[in-house]
Amino acid sequence: MTTSVPHRQSPDAPAQTLARIDLPDAVRDALGRQLVAEPDPQPDIDRATTRYLQIFATLPTGLLQRILDFGRHADTPGVGYVRNLPVDPELPATPTDGGPAGGKRSYVAEGVLLGLSGLLGEPVGFLTEKNGQLIHDVVPVPSGATSQTNQGSTVFLNFHNDIVHDAGGRYDVSNPDFLVLNCLRADHEGVAATHYADARDIARALDAHTLEVLRSPLFRLNAPGSYVRDVAGGSEVLSDPVGLIGGPQDAPEISSSANGVRALTKEAEAALDRLQAACREAAHEVHLRPGEALLINNRKGLHARTRFTPRYDGSDRWLQRTYVRRNQWPIRHRQAAGSRRVHH
């Protein structure tokens, strides 16, 4: 179990793209004692996030720096797998409507989620995703079982990053910089896996010509499934033509929509197929269990989820998710009235 701070890698060495961060039992228990005493964070989210920052600041310095560095440096891994986190003493039934669960008696999971989020940036919400809630309950929903959304279960959720529809035509500008996923319950069979493919690993798996095509504005992203379902009445809402990969060679950024990418030429279509194959080749696979969380850089890579079979019996897979921005200033024009953190 390593808590030391890794040395910065040689510029010639392949980037480490998955970080494993394990909390010692004593650290887990100390966090849990403080979190279980905290009330529901949502009535006063600013007070709650401040308190969680105080609690998580008590992590051993090496662990704390690893999480902070994950959020602030370009050369750090794109996904962090945090294990041995505190959990709630008991849980209510997994919700089946995609909304918050009723009857939750403690808020340890919410504290873990928001505490980790606060070390990366600021939790934000969008009215077109979970009605602007800051804490998203990611659960299987019967009506969305085959959808390319967080309600899905019986289909593979394509490699994507979480994008935000923008009337200006760019769906990569207002995106969250990070996602945090905290597991409350695993699926019954324990087969649901989250995949993460880092753009650096993807680029190494592609030939130079394919990379050139993927960097060209030959693709249009479909808006998120929730936007298409709830706002657009099921119709495609496509971005302006964009490249899927951008930025410097040693620190690329990648964009893709789970709900569909439209290639504008045959050559672009072939490059898109090769990209999907490269994602499968390069991906890290994690089977989340209670007491485990993923820190996902939403710009450095793409994530996906394998299929699983829900029973809708109150014991289905249940994750909680936050969207995190390093800085809300660039999206201040989208701020919803009466809220500091929720945006249109």
Side-chain angles (χ1 to χ4, degrees):
M1 189 174 299
T2 302
T3 60
S4 60
V5 181
H7 294 294
R8 185 174 179 177
Q9 293 177 305
S10 162
D12 298 325
Q16 180 191 8
T17 52
L18 169 67
R20 290 181 171 86
I21 303 171
D22 293 337
L23 272 62
D25 290 350
V27 173
R28 174 202 63 202
D29 294 344
L31 286 179
R33 284 192 294 271
Q34 296 180 83
L35 293 175
V36 78
E38 292 299 313
D40 183 352
Q42 299 191 76
D44 190 348
I45 196 70
D46 285 341
R47 182 263 174 204
T49 53
T50 302
R51 176 64 183 130
Y52 295 142
L53 186 60
Q54 284 183 312
I55 293 171
F56 274 78
T58 64
L59 286 171
T61 302
L63 282 172
L64 182 60
Q65 185 177 349
R66 290 191 71 192
I67 298 172
L68 290 171
D69 283 356
F70 176 89
R72 61 192 175 189
H73 294 307
D75 62 347
T76 52
V79 62
Y81 183 21
V82 188
R83 299 186 292 187
N84 205 30
L85 290 157
V87 299
D88 286 285
E90 59 180 283
L91 289 173
T94 300
T96 58
D97 61 356
K104 203 162 185 290
R105 297 181 180 179
S106 61
Y107 301 93
V108 175
E110 290 82 356
V112 167
L113 186 75
L114 292 172
L116 292 171
S117 299
L119 298 180
L120 303 180
E122 293 295 333
V124 298
F126 294 90
L127 293 175
T128 53
E129 184 64 37
K130 300 284 189 181
N131 298 313
Q133 296 164 17
L134 297 180
I135 296 173
H136 305 163
D137 291 282
V138 178
V139 297
V141 176
S143 61
T146 61
S147 68
Q148 287 291 318
T149 71
N150 64 76
Q151 297 182 354
S153 53
T154 59
V155 295
F156 184 82
L157 180 58
N158 296 326
F159 280 96
H160 67 285
N161 45 18
D162 282 40
I163 62 174
V164 176
H165 171 264
D166 194 301
R170 291 296 298 251
Y171 295 178
D172 58 345
V173 175
S174 299
N175 290 1
D177 297 314
F178 302 95
L179 317 177
V180 179
L181 294 172
N182 185 37
C183 181
L184 286 72
R185 278 196 181 104
D187 60 294
H188 292 88
E189 288 78 27
V191 298
T194 302
H195 291 177
Y196 182 86
D198 193 286
R200 291 164 289 187
D201 292 333
I202 294 169
R204 282 192 287 269
L206 295 171
D207 62 88
H209 178 69
T210 299
L211 273 173
E212 182 182 357
V213 174
L214 291 170
R215 286 179 172 273
S216 303
L218 297 173
F219 307 89
R220 301 182 74 185
L221 309 182
N222 196 11
S226 56
Y227 184 92
V228 168
R229 179 186 66 234
D230 299 336
V231 180
S235 300
E236 283 190 328
V237 184
L238 297 175
S239 71
D240 288 345
V242 294
L244 300 185
I245 294 178
Q249 182 176 348
D250 62 344
E253 181 170 339
I254 189 166
S255 300
S256 187
S257 170
N259 205 34
V261 178
R262 304 292 171 256
L264 301 181
T265 67
K266 291 291 186 182
E267 190 176 41
E269 188 172 344
L272 184 60
D273 290 342
R274 184 69 190 99
L275 172 64
Q276 290 295 322
C279 286
R280 292 191 291 272
E281 294 168 14
H284 301 287
E285 181 181 87
V286 172
H287 292 81
L288 282 170
R289 301 291 184 257
E292 299 180 349
L294 284 180
L295 316 177
I296 295 177
N297 190 304
N298 195 44
R299 298 186 184 276
K300 288 181 181 178
L302 305 177
H303 59 283
R305 190 219 63 240
T306 61
R307 65 183 67 188
F308 64 99
T309 303
R311 300 179 188 174
Y312 308 116
D313 61 354
S315 298
D316 278 323
R317 186 175 190 256
W318 183 5
L319 307 183
Q320 287 184 335
R321 179 185 69 186
T322 47
Y323 284 167
V324 181
R325 291 272 308 192
R326 290 293 286 179
N327 188 350
Q328 294 193 80
W329 182 256
I331 59 170
R332 64 192 183 279
H333 63 286
R334 301 183 62 135
Q335 186 172 321
S339 176
R340 289 173 164 176
R341 297 177 183 272
V342 179
H343 304 81
H344 295 287

